[in-house]
Amino acid sequence: MIAPFPSPFSIWHNAPYPAIDPTSPQLSANHKVVVVTGGGIGIGKAVAEAFAIAGAPCIAILGRRKHILDATTTELQSRFPRLRVYAGVADVTDQAAIEDHFSHIARHFGKIDVLVNNAGYQPDLASIKDTQLDTLWRTYEVNVKGSIIVTKAFLQHANAKAVLINFSTGVAHLPFMPGMAAYGTSKLGAAKFFEYVQAENPDLQVINIHPGVIVTEMQQTTIKAGVILPYDDIMLPAGFTVWAATADAAFLKGKLVWCNWDIEELKEKKNDLETTRFLALGLQGYPEK
């Protein structure tokens, strides 16, 4: 379909397609230990499901609400009887709790192969003038501080060539969108942070992904505000993430991509992605080198 947002590629996906099908042998997650924050609901739950389909034997889901994590754990284990699931209750801003969970995961499952940094917070849409300071700062606490806490805990227990997928948002690098100041700027800060994580840890595979526009609990803030957007199938970012966690996607290290973009078109730009600042955050108009 025609891209509803600016795109450097001609093909636009709203739903899963064969190249990102987690049942594909090329996307096998056999032997991978996977951790998903915000893993009990929405996109995080879909990602956990996709990795289970791809054969991951151990998946840890972290979130704030025990009853939701318990329900997701029961569902995953009933569908995938050989899957080991760890459910950890914690807010990503709680450093002690997050560190305890990552230590527990490493002790019981082994070194972590994949971290999906999915937990996030989006307040009601409002102008900067009308947004309460505590609300604005809570957005930064979750989206930036939470990302830092989770990443530092992950780095202590990650395999040498582990993968870190950060769910960003198109709002972070599109032009002004009314009411999105807190969310967009906090996500932009987090994406830049993950560029630094990649630079300091070249053996890791760190990729920022915009997961599309999905009808989730968090998305209700924009729906409530009357913002009408073209919505995507929740299994699109899930399958794209499983692919992004493979060696086939290593050329995207340190970059920010949209799950709507076609992976074959991305592969055609492999040389540019590996040798220039293409799809990296930077100064607009600055010559590529």
Side-chain angles (χ1 to χ4, degrees):
M1 66 169 289
I2 298 174
F5 298 101
S7 173
F9 301 102
S10 61
I11 299 174
W12 184 270
H13 294 283
N14 290 107
Y17 52 102
I20 60 168
D21 183 346
T23 65
S24 169
Q26 287 73 33
L27 272 60
S28 173
N30 286 341
H31 311 300
K32 289 182 179 179
V33 175
V34 180
V35 180
V36 185
T37 65
I41 195 171
I43 297 173
K45 178 183 177 182
V47 167
E49 177 185 344
F51 273 105
I53 293 170
C58 304
I59 298 176
I61 54 174
L62 305 180
R64 293 179 296 111
R65 292 170 289 186
K66 185 177 184 300
H67 69 284
I68 289 176
L69 292 172
D70 288 346
T72 298
T73 298
T74 299
E75 181 180 338
L76 287 172
Q77 290 181 326
S78 66
R79 290 184 58 192
F80 309 96
R82 291 188 293 179
L83 175 65
R84 297 170 64 196
V85 181
Y86 173 81
V89 180
D91 189 301
V92 292
T93 64
D94 186 338
Q95 184 177 3
I98 291 295
E99 289 177 349
D100 284 347
H101 285 309
F102 272 82
S103 295
H104 185 94
I105 293 164
R107 284 196 305 271
H108 288 81
F109 289 169
K111 291 284 189 177
I112 298 166
D113 299 292
V114 180
L115 166 65
V116 181
N117 185 57
N118 165 69
Y121 176 70
Q122 180 178 337
D124 289 342
L125 274 59
S127 67
I128 295 170
K129 175 186 174 186
D130 295 331
T131 302
Q132 294 294 317
L133 179 60
D134 287 348
T135 299
L136 194 155
W137 197 245
R138 171 63 179 166
T139 313
Y140 275 78
E141 286 273 322
V142 175
N143 297 342
V144 181
K145 182 181 178 181
S147 295
I148 294 170
I149 289 171
V150 168
T151 300
K152 286 176 68 65
F154 164 70
L155 292 174
Q156 296 298 316
H157 303 287
N159 256 328
K161 295 185 179 297
V163 176
L164 196 170
I165 303 296
N166 172 55
F167 278 151
S168 185
T169 174
V171 178
H173 55 111
L174 286 173
F176 168 75
M177 298 184 72
M180 291 283 195
Y183 184 64
T185 57
S186 65
K187 283 290 193 176
L188 180 61
K192 195 66 180 179
F193 166 75
F194 284 107
E195 280 194 9
Y196 274 78
V197 175
Q198 178 68 88
E200 292 181 4
N201 301 273
D203 288 338
L204 297 184
Q205 184 166 312
V206 183
I207 303 173
N208 289 295
I209 297 176
H210 165 52
V213 184
I214 311 296
V215 180
T216 61
E217 184 177 270
M218 191 169 71
Q219 186 65 24
Q220 297 306 313
T221 59
T222 56
I223 295 172
K224 184 172 63 175
V227 178
I228 305 300
L229 296 169
Y231 292 105
D232 301 310
D233 188 308
I234 198 168
M235 293 310 292
L236 174 64
F240 191 95
T241 300
V242 174
W243 170 75
T246 68
D248 193 39
F251 66 96
L252 295 177
K253 289 169 66 168
K255 301 304 173 78
L256 196 162
V257 300
W258 291 39
C259 74
N260 307 94
W261 299 342
D262 185 73
I263 67 169
E264 295 305 323
E265 285 195 313
L266 281 166
K267 289 177 185 178
E268 289 173 5
K269 292 289 188 179
K270 180 177 179 179
N271 184 65
D272 289 343
L273 284 157
E274 291 181 326
T275 61
T276 75
R277 293 284 298 166
F278 181 52
L279 300 186
L281 299 171
L283 181 62
Q284 188 174 14
Y286 188 75
E288 300 287 352
K289 291 183 180 180

